[in-house]
Amino acid sequence: VSPLCSGGISPNNPASPTSCSSPNGHSGSNGFGNSPHGNEQPMEDIRVKISAAFCNLNVDHSGLLTRSQVKDMLVKIHDKAITEVEVDTFVANFDHDPEGRITEEQFIVGWTQNQQAIDQHIDLQKLINLFHYDLETELLVTLRRAFEKFDLEKNGIITEDDVKALAKSLDITDDESSELRLLMGGTETISFERFVKFCTTSNVLKMNPIARRMRRVGEMFDVADGVGYKNYINNGFTVAGLRETIMQKLISLGPQDMNCKFTRGDQEGFLLASQDGGDNNNHLSVGVQLLPSCPGYTKVLAYRIQGKTNLFHDWFRQFRKLLRCEILECEQDSAPVGEPMLL
């Protein structure tokens, strides 16, 4: 990885060289990357490692290290809840924007200037391989929103009390709450990393009757759909409700909830969805077919007519979110009831 800055230049004032002294009174690098342990490494090697650490911590690859990502790092390193003060202490080593976000250049400059102070608490080598996410950026952003919904104390972990509060809001019993905590890792606290594993390594949010109720929370519905929505693009999905009722909902709520206009097609059960992004490159046209399924239920199929694939995928997730209540009601009605039996 090629570092974005060199020569000790401040990212806020590129024309002026920065001081090598740490604001905490510790001497900064002397050009050889001296560590408090007495090891000497060429400065360029240090910069490459710092850059690699930034890339690992910036899990959504946005180019901006957020306070939430800093908190995740501190939680995993120290294995405890992290306060906002502790996040502030780490972020203070770097230049950042008003929201506390740090660019790669600012991360490299800040770490090299304050290396001895930071190295007393954090092993740079560990940061290079701290997290291992193989997920799309959009899904990671969705997972972050869901995690922060449940992290009531905003300390970077979901506690047992947080799980109980979630269970109470979803009419989950105490025994079911204990089972849910086991599903989410079985530990007293659940980090963002464990939460991601719970949501993505299995189909638990759709198959487990307790975890499935979590999808009543909008953010968790988005998470489950972010993992498996492509299956529904190919095969369609079923919702609770008569065809005409579903059509009326889409026509009336589409413009305000999706910025999408639904109009009736020439044939019965067909809708044309049109989403205007302001220019021809962002215009999207989608055909929607509604087929009567068993009494009281409707099969929904959507196919792209015009527009980019990524725009259609974004539209499709919004489309399912608009029909979230009908989707969950159908799944609840068709779910097995009672204890499993061996036949």
Side-chain angles (χ1 to χ4, degrees):
V1 181
S2 176
L4 297 178
C5 60
S6 60
I9 304 300
S10 168
N12 290 337
N13 187 10
S16 304
T18 59
S19 169
C20 290
S21 297
S22 165
N24 298 325
H26 298 281
S27 175
S29 169
N30 62 5
F32 293 97
N34 289 344
S35 76
H37 307 294
N39 297 323
E40 294 187 358
Q41 301 181 58
M43 176 54 68
E44 191 59 31
D45 290 348
I46 295 292
R47 289 175 178 271
V48 169
K49 288 184 177 182
I50 297 170
S51 179
F54 177 91
C55 292
N56 186 267
L57 300 179
N58 184 220
V59 295
D60 60 1
H61 310 299
S62 65
L64 292 171
L65 186 67
T66 66
R67 291 178 62 86
S68 294
Q69 291 167 353
V70 169
K71 190 178 291 183
D72 290 341
M73 177 264 292
L74 294 174
V75 166
K76 185 161 185 180
I77 287 176
H78 300 298
D79 194 25
K80 69 180 184 69
I82 297 298
T83 65
E84 291 298 320
V85 173
E86 291 172 295
V87 176
D88 291 338
T89 300
F90 180 84
V91 172
N93 291 293
F94 310 90
D95 286 331
H96 51 79
D97 68 9
E99 297 180 25
R101 298 179 300 182
I102 305 166
T103 67
E104 182 178 3
E105 181 179 0
Q106 291 168 338
F107 190 77
I108 294 171
V109 171
W111 195 293
T112 54
Q113 289 179 348
N114 304 295
Q115 182 179 351
Q116 290 188 4
I118 298 174
D119 283 355
Q120 291 178 10
H121 306 284
I122 297 173
D123 184 349
L124 176 61
Q125 190 63 41
K126 286 184 178 179
L127 297 191
I128 296 175
N129 294 293
L130 194 64
F131 297 115
H132 301 279
Y133 296 126
D134 186 20
L135 301 171
E136 295 179 3
T137 299
E138 178 71 22
L139 179 55
L140 274 170
V141 172
T142 303
L143 284 160
R144 170 66 62 187
R145 285 198 300 265
F147 180 82
E148 292 180 349
K149 179 83 173 181
F150 302 140
D151 178 16
L152 300 180
E153 298 178 14
K154 307 304 177 189
N155 55 12
I157 59 174
I158 298 175
T159 65
E160 186 174 355
D161 289 339
D162 293 336
V163 175
K164 288 181 178 178
L166 167 66
K168 185 176 180 180
S169 68
L170 298 176
D171 297 325
I172 295 175
T173 66
D174 290 342
D175 289 342
E176 290 175 329
S177 175
S178 298
E179 183 178 341
L180 178 60
R181 192 158 56 85
L182 288 173
L183 288 170
M184 297 177 74
T187 57
E188 292 185 2
T189 59
I190 300 159
S191 65
F192 178 67
E193 186 177 26
R194 283 179 176 155
F195 180 77
V196 170
K197 183 177 181 180
F198 161 72
C199 293
T200 59
T201 55
S202 66
N203 210 17
V204 65
L205 290 175
K206 295 179 183 177
M207 302 302 295
N208 184 277
I210 300 174
R212 188 167 55 227
R213 272 179 270 178
M214 294 178 67
R215 295 171 64 213
R216 298 177 191 172
V217 180
E219 289 82 358
M220 288 303 294
F221 182 87
D222 294 343
V223 165
D225 255 32
V227 174
Y229 73 93
K230 291 182 180 179
N231 292 330
Y232 302 117
I233 289 179
N234 297 327
N235 303 318
F237 56 93
T238 303
V239 299
L242 299 173
R243 178 168 66 179
E244 184 60 29
T245 303
I246 303 302
M247 293 184 73
Q248 288 290 350
K249 179 174 183 175
L250 294 174
I251 292 171
S252 62
L253 297 182
Q256 65 186 49
D257 288 7
M258 294 181 57
N259 191 30
C260 178
K261 183 179 179 181
F262 289 87
T263 56
R264 293 181 182 270
D266 296 334
Q267 300 182 29
E268 187 176 5
F270 280 86
L271 292 172
L272 177 64
S274 179
Q275 195 173 53
D276 190 0
D279 56 59
N280 290 333
N281 290 330
N282 292 321
H283 181 76
L284 182 69
S285 294
V286 179
V288 177
Q289 185 179 13
L290 303 174
L291 300 171
S293 184
C294 52
Y297 300 88
T298 302
K299 181 71 177 288
V300 181
L301 298 163
Y303 52 93
R304 179 176 49 139
I305 298 175
Q306 178 187 354
K308 297 179 180 178
T309 300
N310 64 318
L311 294 178
F312 174 59
H313 288 179
D314 291 342
W315 176 92
F316 189 80
R317 286 193 289 266
Q318 295 178 46
F319 179 61
R320 277 182 54 86
K321 190 172 182 178
L322 182 59
L323 296 174
R324 174 168 62 97
C325 293
E326 290 80 5
I327 292 171
L328 295 178
E329 183 179 345
C330 177
E331 291 183 358
Q332 183 65 32
D333 292 345
S334 57
V337 178
E339 294 295 324
M341 295 174 60
L342 179 64
L343 300 180

